[in-house]
Each structure stands twice: as structure tokens, then as C-alpha cells.
Amino acid sequence: MASGSKKRLLAAAATVGVLSLAVTACSGGGDGGSGSSGDGEPVTLEFWGWVPGLEDTVAEWNAANPDIQIDFFRMTGDDGDKIPAAIDAGTAPDIVQMSSHSLPGHIINDRLTDITEYAADLQDEFTPSSWGTVVFDDKVYAVPQDSGPSGLLYRTDLFAQYGIEVPTTWDEYLDAARALHAANPEVYIAQFSPNEAGFWIQSVWQNSGSWYGIDGDSWQVSVNDEASKDVAEVWQTLLDEDLVKVVEMWTPEYWAEVNDGTIATINYGAWFPALLKESAADLSGKWGIAPTPTFAGSESAGESGGSVNVVPRGTEHVEQAVEFISWLNASEEGTTHLIEGGVFPSAYVGQENDALLVEDEYFGGQVANQVFADAAATVPDTWVDGPTFDLTQDALKDAFAQVANGQLTFAEALDQVQAKTVKDLQDMGLEVQE
């Protein structure tokens, strides 16, 4: 067994084997086979999701599958926050789209159905890193939908103007940052946004790191391990040498900096280009995409995580639910709809889909998604989500705000969040290795 696969199974043991209440979800419901209910009547399943255009996707499915009809509800605002209580009350929809990072917490609280019986054969349809996020204790609890392999978006005009080569390693990235800022003090290689943890997650993941793991019967917490310290060293250098612009992401101020040419690169997931096109439309033709710079001795890309489709506990027609989400996420027809909705599919058939691999005028005619498709194949399968992911992410943001104003270093911030994550797990009554 490959070491990465072993780590995923160990992570599963952490989530399921360590806790007496972790895995008691039903796996078969009461359905009477694919295509109909036990009495031969058509099945109607309620599906909550947020991918743009899913209404048309569901309409196509319903027209071709009269025995399994999907009733779609578009999630907005705080709809996702309503799901845990709805599952606990027995009023949840039959299928829900959610972040892959949230799975362990829901499994621990017995909110998801074990769909191994119907979904295990899908493993080879997805990248190892995305499939690894849905398997716990060798049981399948979701079908991957989209993912966020990283790529380096860069201002081709600025790099050409100042005669700077696009960096291929993080050491070269630091050199490029220095050269850019020396040539024009108003230009920064990137921004540091304390309010956006995805940048950090993808870099730790790229460096074969994780926040969580398992050893025997105990959780491990590795927020401040060597993989994260390598990332901290890069970002501390950028911050100390004033090579990054400190600005909160997603704010009007952030997009103003992007549009003004203050920010020369954005290293982020495959879903980000659509947002860049929307918020910086006038910069069409001035951006390119290259592979994310690599750490020494590695060719891996980063990953910020994605969304999955789950079958909540209590769903009666589990087999039919999995039949639909398998089509949606692992067929050419389904992934074409996802691509048209602006997401980057986790399945190989989607990453090879002609609808994804098209020339993009915004990026100078480049087949931009090919960079992300190539990256998806190199993402390490080492990342393990834990039941306190949201708490750890929020703590990291708070600590990074202190880094931004000089109260902490990145290394000190990691130590602070490490200690808090250990306490949060212990407060849940879990065994934690210290």
C-alpha cells in the first residue's frame, strides 16, 4: 500500500475507529433497487446544491430518468448552516453538496450515510487526492464533485515589462518578487490576506503536509510541522522584505489593487480564474497561467479542497441517490454541466473533457485549464481533514491578522494554532497525541 493511501486509511481510523459513535450510519436505506421504489413507483429525491446551472442539469436528468426524479433547491447564504440541524431532526434533503473539509465532523456526529455499497467502484474515476477526502475507515461517505488544484496566475505584461522570468520554484519566486519590487516599488509579487486561509492550505498540501493525522488510537495535530514551517519561511521572507501587499481578500480594496496592477501574481485554485474575469474584466489579455512554483525536490502542485455530494442519514432511497450523483460527477454529460457552471471537476473524465480544455481569450488564448488538469495529477494524497477544521481555520485567520500587524511571526502563529487545535479536540473528548 502506498504511504499516502495508508495515511488516508489511518485518518479514517481516527475519525471512525477512535470514536464509539462515529460510524453507525445506514448504508442501504429502504430502497427497492435502482430506478424505482420498492413498490415500483418513481422515486423523487430532494437535492440541495449551489453550482451555477444545476437547474438545467437536473432537467436533463429528469427527462432521461422518469423513475428517479430530482427536486433541486439552490443553496444561498446560510443554507448550508441549516443542514446539520435538519439531518438531526430527520428533515434533511436526500442529497447535499458540501465542502470536503466538513465531512469528518458530520461523520463523527452520525449525520451521513455510508454509501460504500454503491460508490466504492467509483474510486478509479477520481484523482487520488479528491477521492481520499471522502473515504473514512475504508468506507465511502461522499462522491467528489469539484476540486481546486493550484496554478500561478501572473501578469504577463508586467513580467515582460521588467524582464522577469516566470518562477518555477519558491526560491525563484522570492527572487522574482525582489526584482519586481526593485523595478517598481508600487508592484508586489502577491498579496497577503489574513482573512483567506485557502492560500495557506494549498501550500501546506503541496508540501505533502496536513493539519491532522492519526497514531494508534489518537489524533495527531500537525499545524506547526516541518511542511507548514517551510511555507511559513517563504511567507515570512515575503512579509519581512515588504514584497507582498497586505490587503483583505474579496474586499473592494483587494479588487482595486488587482485592477491597478499592484498585484502581479495570484497563486490559487482552478476555480479562481472565473472570479478574476468577473472582477477584473478590463485586464483581459494581460494574465497568463503557469504551474505553481515547487518546493525543493518536489514536482507537486497545491490543492485548496473542493465540494462533494453526500447522502444524509435517514435518506430512504440511497441507491438511487448515489446513481444520480455518480452520473453528475463521473460521467461526460454530468461533468460537462459542471464545467459549464464554472467548476473544475474532480473526475478524470471531466478533466479530459473538451468543454474544459478550450482556449481562453482572457488568458491570451492559452488553454488555461490544461495547467490545472496537469496540476491535479500531481497533488499529494497526504491531506487529512479533522473534526475541528473550521475552528482551526478560524484560529489561523485570527493569528495571521496578528502576523500582519507585527504582533506575531508566522512560526509563532502556527505554534499558537497548534495548541488551540489540540485543546479543541480534547474538549470534544477525543484522544490527542501531544
Side-chain angles (χ1 to χ4, degrees), residues 2-19:
S3 61
S5 298
K6 184 176 181 181
K7 288 179 181 178
R8 290 201 303 276
L9 292 179
L10 288 175
T15 304
V16 185
V18 173
L19 305 170

Side-chain angles (χ1 to χ4, degrees), residues 98-160:
M98 64 175 53
S99 166
S100 60
H101 296 306
S102 67
L103 288 182
H106 288 305
I107 294 170
I108 284 175
N109 286 289
D110 189 24
R111 292 192 177 113
L112 303 183
T113 303
D114 170 7
I115 61 172
T116 308
E117 179 180 356
Y118 308 115
D121 290 345
L122 292 173
Q123 177 174 355
D124 292 341
E125 305 297 324
F126 296 91
T127 60
S129 58
S130 61
W131 187 255
T133 66
V134 303
V135 178
F136 298 89
D137 194 29
D138 214 19
K139 297 178 176 65
V140 183
Y141 284 92
V143 173
Q145 184 157 93
D146 60 89
S147 59
S150 64
L152 182 69
L153 286 67
Y154 68 100
R155 284 287 298 268
T156 55
D157 56 334
L158 295 178
F159 275 75

